[in-house]
Amino acid sequence: MSQPKRLSRQELIRQRQSSSFVGRVKQLEAFQHNLTNLNIGPDGIAYPTAFLFNIWGQGGVGKSSLLRKFEDIAKQQKHLVARIDEGITTVPEAMATFAKHFAAQGQPLTKFDERYKVYRQRREELETDPEAPQGFSAFVGETAAKVGLKLSRKIPMGDVAMDFVDEASVIEGAGEWATYITRKLKGDEDEIQLVNKPIEVLTSLFLKDLSNITSRQVVLQFDTYERTREILDLWLLDILKDRYGILPSNCIWVIAGRDQLGVNSWSGYEPVLFPLESFSVEEATQFLQRRGVTNAEVIETILDVSGRLPLLLAILAESSPNDPTQVGEASGTAVERFLQWVDDPRKRQLALDAALPQSLNQDVVAQLVSDVNASVDDLFIWLKGMPFVRDRSDGWAYHDVVRPQMLRFQHRESNSRWETKHKLLAEHYQKRREDLKLDKKTRYGDEDWQDYTLKYLYHQLCRKPQEQLTIALNSFLDALKQKRSFAQQYSEAILRVGDDTENRVVKRWGKQLTYGLKAYGKGDYQVTIKAFTALLNSSRIDQTKKAIVLAWRGKVYRRIENYDKALTDFTQATELDPNYQWAIAHRGETHRLVEHYDEAIADFTRAIELDPNYQWAIAHRGRTYRLMEHFDEAIVDFTRAIELDPNYQWAITNRGVTYKVLTHYDEAIVDFTRAIELDPNYQWAIAMRGTTYCLMELYDMAIKDFTQAIELNPNYQRAIASRGVTYCLMEQHDSALADLNRAIEINPKDKKNIIGRGNVYLFSRKYHQALTDFATAAGTEDDNWSYHLSKAFAHLGLKQLKEFNSAIRESIRLATQNHQKFPENHHNTFNLALCYLVAQRIEKAKQLYKEVLSKKVSIHQIKHAVRDLKLLLTIFPTYPNVREMEGFLQSAISLYQIKLDIPET
């Protein structure tokens, strides 16, 4: 005869809780009815009428208990149920927890599990890699910095197609993390996509696996949603909007939290609403009677003390008191009354001490049990059976309603015991992180080390808040220097200590730092500046650590374009720490933004001296050299950065931009194509290749690239405008106007687009509309020589000779300035010659054309000059002397090709 299966203690606890469950009849009946009265779809699969249930109410009202009852109902009918709570911290972790529960019920999510395992392995490898870029995690979710990239090439089209940069490409450090991932994953596109976009990839697999479950209903439960809403809300709504694939019709969501789901976001999905309040007198009385409390006076007292909250009713009924004096005065706390009924002193003390940790497991309980003869196993089993202790995804924990009362009771009862127990717990977590044996470079990327460090911080700070706060704040800055996301968790731990110890100073610091870093991620920089300023003004911060605060505040000032204050902060940081290469390099970047190029070069060079392999500083020095038109030095720096990391997409693309400016178009195309091979969705590289094709007069290829960039980002206004300009060069004026109008709609403040549209009108011979656009763009930084030349053409078309002469004189003046400032840039000479030709100063134009052709000029530069003349003839086919100059330049091109044996293209 086979032995009956032995039940676990957890199963016995659940059975007891289920048998004593009372109330919530309407909610239980509604959920039961939804599971049993199914509809049959056209695919033959049974599905429930309602898929979304929302339970909400104050803490202790019984939300989690109702969820467990729903779970029991579903499992009795052989359906699948999985639950998550505040223990999860990311969307992938939420899906993995669901999958783990399903696997335990014999329904593994195979495809999801396989990819999630790879995801976790790759993330761990990358985050613990000592070669990971400095501060790479801080790039996630940051607001893009928008700066202009000024190129020297200007043509009468208003330079729309020739002078633009993708905003996303200039996020600080942009591309470095993606480049690093690509290199470390050796170009495996599937794994690169998995690591870069885990939510998209894993959710799709998760939903596909759920869709394969057709014989049972699938119930996903979300407990303590008030804690996870920020993480999960957008994800769940995106699922309902079909962003990741099909949500199977037999899937039911039950979301429980303190607040109702947002009406604006969720009402369209018709959730079944279950607002929970305290038990009625009848329900509370029935609940107590089922728990063995029958004395009418005792029941009345408990109802008064508990406020009829189910959780507190359960605590007060635990020992079935039959004397009102055992319950105490109504003003007494429920916890104190409950502890009086625990006769075993070891259990009573454990009930108090176990409130100290934020989560529990057997190892933690072992630290709390001082009696060497006590059975930790038995005590832990007893503790888990208490009504205020609940199972959570990260272990066991006290209910939020009970734990604060327990902590206050413990603190009041014995301050010395409070300190002793927190000291033991701190030492426990200190040992756990020491056992990991991680060095300083890898520890900040290790999740276990982070977890142990945060718990060590919590208990040390709880033990002696005033004494340990100084250490905690300085350690926070160490974390900030290494990994902003971990510093965020660190500040939240400080805030939690402030709440749990009711220490106003600790709470104030925790709140200020937590809100400051969250505001940084949201772009609310003034809040962040206030937090960093408070740190700088605090006597608790070590002088050596103030360099970190100053550097970070400088970075924030730079984000709000307060460059003077940014430079001041960076400078003070480097004075405190002369070898702080991050601060030095970022001061260099700030100098670049205000066009202090010599100072920028000096800072980047100093940072590179401190670390010869500092790729970010090398590449950004290269960009600065390009802006100074020191193109050879720029190429050297970009090449060096690429040698250090052959997959450094940002540096590869920037070298391509430099080659483009030099009219080395073939080399530019090679670089842009390489960057696109590394990331087929790299919008900036795609658009810049389109620009280069446009300059090579390969218009069809340019249109193809611009269109691809726009498909990736429908609001990529620079690509849209540049495609419009290309259409204009192809004499497809309607398409050109459509694109320029769209670009102006997206960004009405960008005058380049307005000038570009004015040029389209000009080539369409709509001179009045052209002048209207040119007038709108007047007085901006785009008010350059080509702008005034376009104005001159429009006035000439209307036979407004006085205005024509005024505009052409201004165009010559500005083109002369460029020529004198950068005489080695042959484009400037060609541009000035064109202006003189339009002004009919023929001899001066011939002199300049001959002068530039006598120097080392590229065939592409000559071809650009020819194209400018052809554009002029497009507007005015009989313009005097233009065809003569065109023939002169064409002869130079032919001679150039004969010398180098280059076939005509």
Side-chain angles (χ1 to χ4, degrees):
M1 182 176 178
S2 61
Q3 293 292 324
K5 178 185 175 183
R6 182 185 296 273
L7 295 175
S8 69
R9 171 58 61 179
Q10 288 90 339
E11 289 171 320
L12 291 171
I13 292 170
R14 290 290 296 277
Q15 285 186 3
R16 179 173 61 81
Q17 290 173 337
S18 180
S19 65
S20 61
F21 189 91
V22 299
R24 314 309 184 199
V25 174
K26 291 181 180 179
Q27 292 87 349
L28 293 173
E29 288 178 348
F31 188 76
Q32 174 85 27
H33 183 271
N34 198 57
L35 286 176
T36 54
N37 291 270
L38 303 175
N39 301 308
I40 305 298
D43 52 5
I45 298 175
Y47 64 91
T49 302
F51 87 95
L52 177 60
F53 292 83
N54 180 203
I55 304 169
W56 83 90
Q58 64 175 306
V61 81
K63 300 181 295 293
S64 297
S65 297
L66 186 57
L67 276 182
R68 286 194 293 270
K69 192 62 179 175
F70 282 178
E71 180 179 347
D72 292 339
I73 291 172
K75 285 185 174 179
Q76 286 169 8
Q77 298 183 31
K78 309 300 183 185
H79 297 308
L80 292 170
V81 189
R83 178 174 59 89
I84 60 172
D85 53 34
E86 72 269 30
I88 64 101
T89 57
T90 67
V91 169
E93 186 183 348
M95 290 185 282
T97 304
F98 283 139
K100 181 180 178 181
H101 289 311
F102 289 144
Q105 296 168 63
Q107 185 66 59
L109 305 184
T110 308
K111 291 181 180 179
F112 168 83
D113 285 335
E114 289 174 356
R115 294 309 287 168
Y116 181 75
K117 183 178 180 181
V118 173
Y119 166 70
R120 287 301 315 140
Q121 289 173 341
R122 296 297 174 264
R123 287 288 300 188
E124 184 173 351
E125 291 167 5
L126 294 169
E127 291 178 357
T128 58
D129 183 2
E131 298 179 8
Q134 180 183 7
F136 67 84
S137 63
F139 298 138
V140 180
E142 289 190 359
T143 304
K146 297 180 179 179
V147 297
L149 181 59
K150 297 181 180 178
L151 307 184
S152 63
R153 174 63 185 156
K154 309 288 184 182
I155 66 169
M157 284 302 298
D159 76 310
V160 176
M162 312 310 149
D163 180 13
F164 76 94
V165 63
D166 175 34
E167 290 86 352
S169 71
V170 288
I171 299 173
E172 265 177 79
E176 289 191 80
W177 177 221
T179 294
Y180 169 71
I181 291 174
T182 301
R183 173 168 57 84
K184 296 301 290 186
L185 299 183
K186 300 178 181 178
D188 186 321
E189 292 297 334
D190 288 340
E191 291 196 1
I192 291 170
Q193 188 78 353
L194 176 64
V195 173
N196 277 330
K197 297 183 177 180
I199 294 177
E200 287 86 340
V201 174
L202 293 174
T203 305
S204 177
L205 295 172
F206 181 74
L207 293 176
K208 286 179 181 177
D209 279 343
L210 289 184
S211 295
N212 292 329
I213 304 171
T214 58
S215 60
R216 295 190 279 180
Q217 304 304 304
V218 178
V219 182
L220 302 182
Q221 295 188 332
F222 303 82
D223 200 3
T224 57
Y225 197 66
E226 70 275 6
R227 301 282 186 87
T228 58
R229 178 193 300 271
E230 189 173 336
I231 300 167
L232 300 178
D233 217 50
L234 182 60
W235 172 62
L236 293 177
L237 288 167
D238 279 343
I239 288 177
L240 296 179
K241 294 172 184 174
D242 297 329
R243 179 176 176 183
Y244 307 116
I246 297 173
L247 176 67
S249 58
N250 58 331
C251 191
I252 299 171
W253 293 355
V254 186
I255 300 177
R258 295 199 175 190
D259 305 306
Q260 181 182 354
L261 290 175
V263 175
N264 291 337
S265 301
W266 288 92
S267 60
Y269 301 105
E270 300 179 348
V272 177
L273 303 177
F274 288 160
L276 297 188
E277 298 177 352
S278 298
F279 277 161
S280 67
V281 172
E282 293 75 20
E283 288 174 327
T285 301
Q286 182 186 10
F287 179 91
L288 292 173
Q289 289 173 343
R290 286 196 180 185
R291 298 288 180 110
V293 181
T294 57
N295 185 291
E297 292 183 57
V298 171
I299 290 175
E300 184 178 353
T301 304
I302 291 178
L303 295 185
D304 189 16
V305 170
S306 67
R308 302 198 303 277
L309 279 177
L311 175 65
L312 297 184
L313 286 170
I315 293 173
L316 293 168
E318 184 63 27
S319 293
S320 303
N322 286 305
D323 184 343
T325 60
Q326 291 180 295
V327 180
E329 297 295 327
S331 59
T333 69
V335 174
E336 289 172 313
R337 304 286 78 76
F338 165 67
L339 291 175
Q340 289 179 0
W341 309 333
V342 180
D343 296 329
D344 186 334
R346 291 176 301 185
K347 291 180 179 179
R348 183 183 189 281
Q349 193 58 59
L350 178 60
L352 280 171
D353 292 343
L356 301 181
Q358 295 164 281
S359 62
L360 296 163
N361 59 33
Q362 191 156 328
D363 292 339
V364 172
V365 170
Q367 306 302 313
L368 301 171
V369 178
S370 55
D371 187 344
V372 295
N373 297 317
S375 168
V376 173
D377 286 354
D378 291 342
L379 287 172
F380 188 41
I381 289 171
W382 170 81
L383 186 65
K384 288 188 293 185
M386 293 298 98
F388 52 82
V389 177
R390 58 195 181 93
D391 185 8
R392 235 174 38 185
S393 55
D394 61 342
W396 296 78
Y398 276 36
H399 194 284
D400 289 345
V401 171
V402 175
R403 185 168 181 262
Q405 297 186 57
M406 286 282 198
L407 290 175
R408 285 194 291 271
F409 185 89
Q410 176 82 311
H411 213 172
R412 288 197 306 268
E413 187 178 66
S414 172
N415 193 54
S416 62
R417 185 175 185 86
W418 169 276
E419 292 185 10
T420 299
K421 290 300 180 181
H422 276 299
K423 183 173 183 292
L424 286 171
L425 291 167
E427 290 171 347
H428 168 69
Y429 288 115
Q430 170 74 339
K431 184 176 186 306
R432 293 298 298 268
R433 67 176 184 173
E434 287 175 352
D435 289 344
L436 295 174
K437 300 186 185 326
L438 298 174
D439 59 35
K440 290 183 178 180
K441 290 184 177 180
T442 57
R443 62 179 55 166
Y444 283 95
D446 184 87
E447 288 187 358
D448 288 335
W449 186 89
Q450 290 180 17
D451 181 54
Y452 299 149
T453 298
L454 293 173
K455 288 175 178 173
Y456 169 77
L457 160 71
Y458 176 83
H459 292 295
Q460 279 287 79
L461 197 50
C462 280
R463 182 173 68 88
K464 288 184 178 293
Q466 291 299 108
E467 175 187 301
Q468 292 292 320
L469 180 58
T470 297
I471 298 172
L473 292 176
N474 285 281
S475 297
F476 162 80
L477 293 176
D478 288 331
L480 182 63
K481 188 175 183 180
Q482 297 295 327
K483 194 180 180 79
R484 179 171 63 90
S485 59
F486 180 58
Q488 180 77 60
Q489 293 177 277
Y490 211 96
S491 67
E492 290 169 358
I494 295 174
L495 176 57
R496 199 171 299 118
V497 172
D499 285 332
D500 291 348
T501 60
E502 299 179 292
N503 186 296
R504 286 180 293 178
V505 177
V506 174
K507 184 174 182 177
R508 185 175 67 249
W509 273 112
K511 183 179 292 185
Q512 191 155 41
L513 298 180
T514 297
Y515 292 172
L517 289 188
K518 283 187 176 181
Y520 179 82
K522 296 176 180 178
D524 189 1
Y525 297 125
Q526 291 299 336
V527 176
T528 311
I529 289 171
K530 183 178 179 181
F532 287 144
T533 302
L535 283 168
L536 288 171
N537 293 334
S538 173
S539 60
R540 296 179 182 274
I541 305 302
D542 296 344
Q543 282 297 108
T544 55
K545 297 291 193 298
K546 287 189 175 181
I548 302 170
V549 187
L550 284 162
W552 263 90
R553 192 176 69 172
K555 183 178 179 181
V556 180
Y557 275 133
R558 188 175 71 215
R559 289 222 180 271
I560 61 174
E561 300 182 5
N562 192 333
Y563 299 123
D564 289 340
K565 287 188 176 181
L567 289 171
T568 298
D569 277 355
F570 284 130
T571 298
Q572 289 183 15
T574 57
E575 288 171 352
L576 288 172
D577 185 352
N579 294 327
Y580 193 179
Q581 62 193 44
W582 187 88
I584 295 168
H586 280 266
R587 183 176 64 180
E589 178 66 1
T590 310
H591 278 307
R592 181 193 70 78
L593 289 170
V594 295
E595 300 183 6
H596 297 165
Y597 295 139
D598 290 333
E599 293 90 338
I601 293 296
D603 276 342
F604 287 133
T605 300
R606 173 58 181 154
I608 295 164
E609 288 171 353
L610 290 168
D611 180 1
N613 295 329
Y614 194 173
Q615 299 170 24
W616 187 88
I618 295 168
H620 283 69
R621 185 175 68 177
R623 177 167 62 176
T624 308
Y625 275 134
R626 184 179 69 232
L627 295 172
M628 298 171 72
E629 300 199 2
H630 295 177
F631 300 120
D632 291 340
E633 291 93 333
I635 294 293
V636 168
D637 270 350
F638 289 133
T639 301
R640 171 59 180 154
I642 295 165
E643 287 171 349
L644 289 169
D645 184 352
N647 294 329
Y648 194 168
Q649 294 159 272
W650 189 86
I652 294 168
T653 305
N654 271 277
R655 187 174 67 178
V657 171
T658 311
Y659 280 135
K660 178 181 74 66
V661 174
L662 291 169
T663 68
H664 297 172
Y665 296 140
D666 293 334
E667 291 94 331
I669 292 295
V670 169
D671 273 349
F672 295 141
T673 301
R674 172 59 181 154
I676 295 165
E677 288 171 350
L678 290 169
D679 181 2
N681 296 327
Y682 197 0
Q683 302 164 26
W684 184 44
I686 295 167
M688 290 307 299
R689 187 173 68 178
T691 298
T692 309
Y693 281 137
C694 182
L695 291 167
M696 297 171 76
E697 300 185 41
L698 300 173
Y699 298 133
D700 289 337
M701 298 177 75
I703 292 294
K704 182 179 178 181
D705 273 349
F706 290 136
T707 300
Q708 182 182 351
I710 295 164
E711 287 172 351
L712 290 168
N713 180 3
N715 291 324
Y716 192 173
Q717 58 109 0
R718 297 312 309 154
I720 295 168
S722 297
R723 186 176 67 177
V725 169
T726 308
Y727 277 132
C728 185
L729 294 171
M730 298 169 74
E731 298 187 29
Q732 297 181 22
H733 297 139
D734 289 342
S735 296
L737 281 175
D739 274 347
L740 268 302
N741 284 330
R742 172 63 180 148
I744 293 168
E745 179 186 335
I746 293 171
N747 186 3
K749 294 182 179 180
D750 192 336
K751 303 303 182 183
K752 287 186 179 71
N753 297 337
I754 297 173
I755 294 173
R757 186 176 65 183
N759 281 311
V760 176
Y761 286 133
L762 179 65
F763 280 87
S764 304
R765 294 180 174 80
K766 297 177 180 178
Y767 302 121
H768 287 294
Q769 291 97 317
L771 286 173
T772 297
D773 275 347
F774 295 149
T776 302
T780 68
E781 64 177 8
D782 303 307
D783 187 345
N784 51 46
W785 74 270
S786 65
Y787 161 80
H788 287 282
L789 187 61
S790 294
K791 277 181 64 178
F793 288 152
H795 286 304
L796 187 61
L798 294 171
K799 296 183 172 53
Q800 298 171 345
L801 297 183
K802 180 181 179 181
E803 291 83 355
F804 165 79
N805 288 326
S806 175
I808 197 63
R809 281 196 299 270
E810 184 64 9
S811 182
I812 290 172
R813 185 184 70 80
L814 293 171
T816 300
Q817 286 181 357
N818 291 345
H819 179 58
Q820 291 173 345
K821 186 176 181 180
F822 298 109
E824 71 280 3
N825 188 331
H826 302 311
H827 281 309
N828 291 332
T829 309
F830 277 126
N831 295 337
L832 182 57
L834 175 64
C835 291
Y836 277 122
L837 179 61
V838 173
Q840 286 297 287
R841 295 175 62 177
I842 307 304
E843 292 306 317
K844 183 64 175 177
K846 284 183 179 179
Q847 175 191 338
L848 288 166
Y849 280 129
K850 288 179 180 179
E851 173 190 322
V852 72
L853 290 175
S854 69
K855 298 178 180 179
K856 189 178 179 180
V857 61
S858 76
I859 189 171
H860 287 299
Q861 290 171 321
I862 303 173
K863 284 184 174 182
H864 285 164
V866 171
R867 187 174 70 169
D868 287 349
L869 296 178
K870 287 181 177 179
L871 290 172
L872 173 53
L873 290 171
T874 300
I875 309 172
F876 303 110
T878 61
Y879 206 89
N881 302 300
V882 175
R883 293 197 183 279
E884 177 190 350
M885 290 300 148
E886 181 190 5
F888 176 64
L889 294 178
Q890 288 285 14
S891 298
I893 292 173
S894 298
L895 182 61
Y896 187 102
Q897 289 169 331
I898 290 171
K899 285 182 179 179
L900 298 181
D901 193 25
I902 299 173
E904 182 69 55
T905 59

